[in-house]
Amino acid sequence: MCGIAGIISKNGRNYQEEIKKMTDSMIHRGPDSSHYEIYENATLGHRRLSIIDLSDNGKQPMFSNTKNECIVLNGEIYGYQDIKKQYTEYPYHGSSDTEVILAMYQKKKENLIHDLPGMFAFAIWDNQKQQLYCARDRFGEKPFYYAIGQNDEFIFASEIKAILASGLILPKVNPEAVSNYLQYGYVSSYQSIYSNIFTLPPAHQLTWKDGKIMVSRYYSLPAKDAVISLSEAKEQFIYLLKNAVKKQLIADVEVGSFLSGGLDSSSVVALVDEFLPHQTTISFGYDHKDSELKYAKEIADKYKTNHIEVHEQKKDLAQSLLNISPFFDEPFADISYIPHYEICKNARKNLTVVLSGDVGDELFGGYHFYTIENKLKNHFSYKSIIAQFGLNLYKKLKPISFLTQQNLKYSSILDFHLNSVRNDFSREERSILGISAGYQQGYSFTPDPDSLNDVMRVDLENYVPGNMMVKSDRMAMANSLEVRTPFLDIDFAEFCIQLPDQLKLNNENDKIILRETMGAYWTETIRKRHKQGFGLSVKSWFEEDKLMKLSDDLLKDRNQKVFNYIDFNATQKFLTKDHKHWNLLQLALWAHNNQSVL
């Protein structure tokens, strides 16, 4: 895994200092080496974390055999050895996956993207065309930001901090992004927190030529559900997942696995064992009665892994926030980012690459609210004008059920999902805070508001790249660790996306396809498990004196930068030691961390 950067402008040699500042700001993404290459009108930079082809043959920026093309890549191209066999005419210099993209580009130009699997963000400078071609992977596993500098330079990098480090742009805060953050706790993967720094969305490509930028979507999620029996689905499921795991074990360093003791990570560990016996597994747990460590140890014992347990350390939470939050560059309110940082930090002591069980919930229907949405849809009051008319009268006399309340409040399960699930501040509350702007993200398909599968598709294009992959990438890269996600293998993910929702969940069971296919790989207690988070309690965190002092310093001082964007007096009403309070604290932390540029 790496950090990439570039400046496209006339007189490329004039930008050596700027490109060095950009790559230096991302040393955590690539501590092994730093290089840059200069053309007359392009300067490319790279920080390297050596994983495949550890020799100098794998270093970047990497020239093609003709020197006409030069690439910087952040990511991994899974199954690149098989792709390489299709481009045997190219005179390979080394054995890295990066060079395969150059071979593909020479033959297919921009059309290469349709045949490129894996997680990636890359840029190729074509000197003959005087053109830059960039692309980001389908599910947003790797980041890509860009901006136009004060002298019309095209600037790009893996992180916002690198673009700011160039000194070529003065950022302006984006009110729409602030609104989206306050609602969901993260910035949309179609925006950045700044109106003049842009993100290349997942599944999109970008071409710069003659000062003009063209951005287009190259991939859309499969929009239709398949017709398939459970027995057929199980057979394809295990075949595709084994293939995904096998491809993601390719590295010239040791590959380990995160193991929470949940169904998803236990499945990954079980299949890794078929290709890599005695793997290293690592678990993080809080020392309380609901800790998942005991479940993780069951799987570790079953597969005889080299198991590492990371126990919660009673650290200064306020100091942890001050140390960790700057790695995000944007406000980010997922409460699990601190434990995620800790497990990545401990994993890096023994490993450079780790497999994760992320995104199983979105693919197999594992979240509790999916079950609620299924019940909402099947409730007699769902979209029934007559029933809802009667219930509106009845509720004035007697209490009504939760499902009835939600069906009266929201027009569909999609409306409920977007405006109730994982929401912190409602539109009215954001308005009270002084945020009148709103933002509605688009999708690669037209969601059916009554389709449970489309709700999961929405999460794959909204929550997964905006929250989950941001957390995974930033916390891993903060510790110079590469995290791979087998469930996002394109063949496996597409298969799961198209499975009919009755193979994912019903009113009694979640993750039906996973349980039916992988149950024999687990222990008995794991088979009976349902989803459990890290067991964090925001309320208990706010009981810590140092955290409350940090909160008071940042949220009760009118002079703090955050109050350039939200109303001070309104903010005080929301400091109630809950998720809203946490959301505001993270926004204030971001403003504090970036006060020199705000």
Side-chain angles (χ1 to χ4, degrees):
M1 204 56 60
C2 311
I4 64 174
I7 301 170
I8 310 303
S9 184
K10 293 179 180 178
N11 304 313
R13 295 201 174 277
N14 293 343
Y15 293 93
Q16 293 182 57
E17 183 179 339
E18 286 82 357
I19 201 73
K20 187 175 187 305
K21 287 179 179 177
M22 292 176 75
T23 54
D24 283 353
S25 74
M26 299 186 292
I27 189 171
H28 51 284
R29 295 190 76 91
D32 295 334
S33 62
S34 175
H35 299 282
Y36 59 88
E37 298 290 352
I38 300 171
Y39 285 91
E40 182 181 354
N41 298 321
T43 307
L44 303 180
H46 189 263
R47 295 276 349 177
R48 187 182 187 196
L49 179 63
S50 302
I51 290 171
I52 292 177
D53 193 347
L54 309 185
S55 73
D56 279 350
N57 290 335
K59 81 173 187 178
Q60 299 180 46
M62 182 181 289
F63 287 112
S64 67
N65 61 311
T66 63
K67 295 290 181 78
N68 178 60
E69 300 90 6
C70 189
I71 186 173
V72 282
L73 164 71
N74 169 28
E76 300 291 347
I77 309 305
Y78 305 127
Y80 73 94
Q81 301 100 324
D82 291 333
I83 299 173
K84 193 173 183 178
K85 293 172 186 175
Q86 301 171 35
Y87 298 87
T88 54
E89 69 278 10
Y90 184 87
Y92 295 98
H93 184 62
S95 58
S96 75
D97 54 347
T98 308
E99 198 172 12
V100 173
I101 303 178
L102 288 171
M104 295 174 75
Y105 181 81
Q106 283 193 354
K107 189 168 183 178
K108 293 193 169 184
K109 299 302 179 185
E110 294 89 329
N111 286 326
L112 74 88
I113 194 64
H114 303 292
D115 300 324
L116 195 67
M119 58 174 180
F120 54 78
F122 68 82
I124 299 174
W125 175 251
D126 186 321
N127 201 47
Q128 183 180 355
K129 286 186 173 184
Q130 291 290 291
Q131 172 183 294
L132 186 76
Y133 175 65
C134 315
R136 189 174 174 205
D137 66 65
R138 293 160 181 80
F139 298 106
E141 293 182 76
K142 294 294 107 188
F144 189 101
Y145 295 94
Y146 65 96
I148 304 301
Q150 296 164 351
N151 301 305
D152 291 329
E153 303 97 339
F154 180 83
I155 311 157
F156 71 86
S158 295
E159 297 187 4
I160 290 174
K161 66 168 60 69
I163 290 178
L164 296 177
S166 74
L168 298 171
I169 185 168
L170 187 64
K172 300 173 184 176
V173 172
N174 181 356
E176 286 187 1
V178 174
S179 179
N180 192 86
Y181 166 75
L182 287 169
Q183 182 175 4
Y184 294 117
Y186 57 89
V187 176
S188 166
S189 60
Y190 280 67
Q191 297 182 307
S192 92
I193 195 65
Y194 302 108
S195 58
N196 56 343
I197 297 178
F198 308 94
T199 183
L200 182 61
H204 280 67
Q205 57 191 346
L206 179 154
T207 302
W208 178 98
K209 186 175 175 64
D210 297 329
K212 296 178 181 177
I213 300 168
M214 187 175 76
V215 176
S216 62
R217 176 180 287 280
Y218 69 84
Y219 173 79
S220 299
L221 291 184
K224 292 185 177 180
D225 297 348
V227 177
I228 189 172
S229 68
L230 177 59
S231 59
E232 288 178 288
K234 286 168 61 177
E235 187 176 330
Q236 288 192 49
F237 186 99
I238 193 67
Y239 170 78
L240 290 169
L241 185 53
K242 280 185 180 182
N243 197 40
V245 168
K246 183 179 180 181
K247 284 187 289 186
Q248 296 197 19
L249 287 172
I250 301 299
D252 293 327
V253 294
E254 184 183 355
V255 180
S257 302
F258 285 145
L259 177 56
S260 69
L263 307 185
D264 300 332
S265 65
S266 296
S267 299
V268 171
V269 167
L271 294 184
V272 168
D273 183 70
E274 296 193 9
F275 307 105
L276 186 69
H278 310 299
Q279 66 188 289
T280 295
T281 52
I282 184 163
S283 301
F284 179 93
Y286 286 83
D287 292 326
H288 54 64
K289 63 182 177 64
D290 296 322
S291 172
E292 289 194 296
L293 287 172
K294 58 181 177 290
Y295 301 112
K297 191 171 187 312
E298 276 193 24
I299 293 293
D301 289 345
K302 178 178 174 69
Y303 291 103
K304 298 180 172 60
T305 73
N306 171 29
H307 190 54
I308 300 166
E309 287 187 352
V310 180
H311 292 259
E312 173 197 17
Q313 300 295 313
K314 291 293 182 183
K315 292 182 177 178
D316 181 340
L317 186 57
Q319 192 58 51
S320 292
L321 289 176
L322 289 167
N323 293 342
I324 301 169
S325 61
F327 287 107
F328 286 107
D329 293 348
E330 299 180 285
F332 189 78
D334 189 318
I335 60 173
S336 66
Y337 80 73
I338 295 175
H340 203 82
Y341 176 89
E342 291 297 330
I343 193 172
C344 288
K345 183 175 77 172
N346 282 275
R348 188 62 177 94
K349 294 175 183 176
N350 301 277
L351 300 161
T352 310
V353 181
V354 177
L355 300 192
S356 162
D358 281 346
V359 198
D361 292 306
E362 291 77 6
L363 291 172
F364 319 136
Y367 289 121
H368 176 59
F369 48 75
Y370 291 153
T371 303
I372 291 174
E373 287 157 1
N374 190 50
K375 290 178 179 179
L376 284 172
K377 181 182 172 182
N378 292 314
H379 193 265
F380 76 92
S381 64
Y382 187 70
K383 288 197 167 183
S384 170
I385 297 173
I386 296 173
Q388 292 190 10
F389 176 78
L391 288 165
N392 272 314
L393 295 175
Y394 181 80
K395 72 178 183 180
K396 296 175 182 177
L397 304 173
K398 290 188 177 182
I400 56 176
S401 70
F402 172 80
L403 294 178
T404 303
Q405 291 174 39
Q406 302 313 304
N407 274 341
L408 291 177
K409 185 174 181 180
Y410 297 101
S411 64
S412 65
I413 56 172
L414 181 61
D415 183 22
F416 169 81
H417 189 78
L418 291 176
N419 295 297
S420 177
V421 172
R422 300 195 191 99
N423 273 233
D424 285 332
F425 290 92
S426 68
R427 182 181 301 169
E428 294 75 17
E429 289 169 332
R430 299 197 301 277
S431 181
I432 291 169
L433 286 168
I435 302 294
S436 57
Y439 179 69
Q440 184 65 53
Q441 179 181 310
Y443 304 102
S444 70
F445 63 102
T446 302
D448 175 350
D450 307 318
S451 166
L452 194 58
N453 257 345
D454 278 5
V455 168
M456 296 180 206
R457 286 184 177 95
V458 163
D459 274 351
L460 282 167
E461 292 197 351
N462 189 339
Y463 177 75
V464 167
N467 182 298
M468 189 177 292
M469 294 296 104
V470 169
K471 178 178 66 178
S472 177
D473 175 80
R474 305 307 189 275
M475 295 298 88
M477 287 285 90
N479 293 286
S480 306
L481 180 75
E482 174 170 298
V483 174
R484 300 177 177 180
T485 310
F487 292 149
L488 285 181
D489 171 85
I490 184 61
D491 295 327
F492 179 75
E494 281 195 338
F495 167 75
C496 293
I497 290 165
Q498 296 175 85
L499 284 175
D501 58 40
Q502 62 265 28
L503 294 188
K504 298 177 183 179
L505 77 163
N506 54 37
N507 287 348
E508 288 75 41
N509 290 304
D510 61 5
K511 296 187 175 180
I512 293 170
I513 183 64
L514 184 72
R515 292 176 186 276
E516 288 284 339
T517 310
M518 298 300 300
Y521 288 85
W522 307 328
T523 62
E524 182 62 27
T525 50
I526 301 294
R527 280 193 283 273
K528 294 178 180 177
R529 292 204 66 196
H530 287 268
K531 184 167 181 61
Q532 178 181 331
F534 269 118
L536 307 176
S537 167
V538 169
K539 186 175 181 180
S540 67
W541 281 3
F542 278 116
E543 291 172 0
E544 294 192 15
D545 292 341
K546 289 183 179 179
L547 183 64
M548 280 308 300
K549 183 181 184 308
L550 177 64
S551 175
D552 289 348
D553 289 346
L554 295 177
L555 292 170
K556 292 193 173 183
D557 176 359
R558 288 180 180 271
N559 296 317
Q560 287 290 336
K561 286 283 186 181
V562 70
F563 297 116
N564 290 350
Y565 313 107
I566 58 174
D567 183 80
F568 174 80
N569 290 325
T571 296
Q572 307 312 303
K573 300 172 185 176
F574 293 108
L575 304 184
T576 48
K577 300 182 180 180
D578 57 5
H579 278 274
K580 287 185 172 68
H581 190 167
W582 179 259
N583 181 305
L584 291 168
L585 177 58
Q586 301 307 310
L587 184 66
L589 261 175
W590 161 76
H592 171 78
N593 293 335
N594 294 277
Q595 56 188 311
S596 62
V597 297
L598 293 178

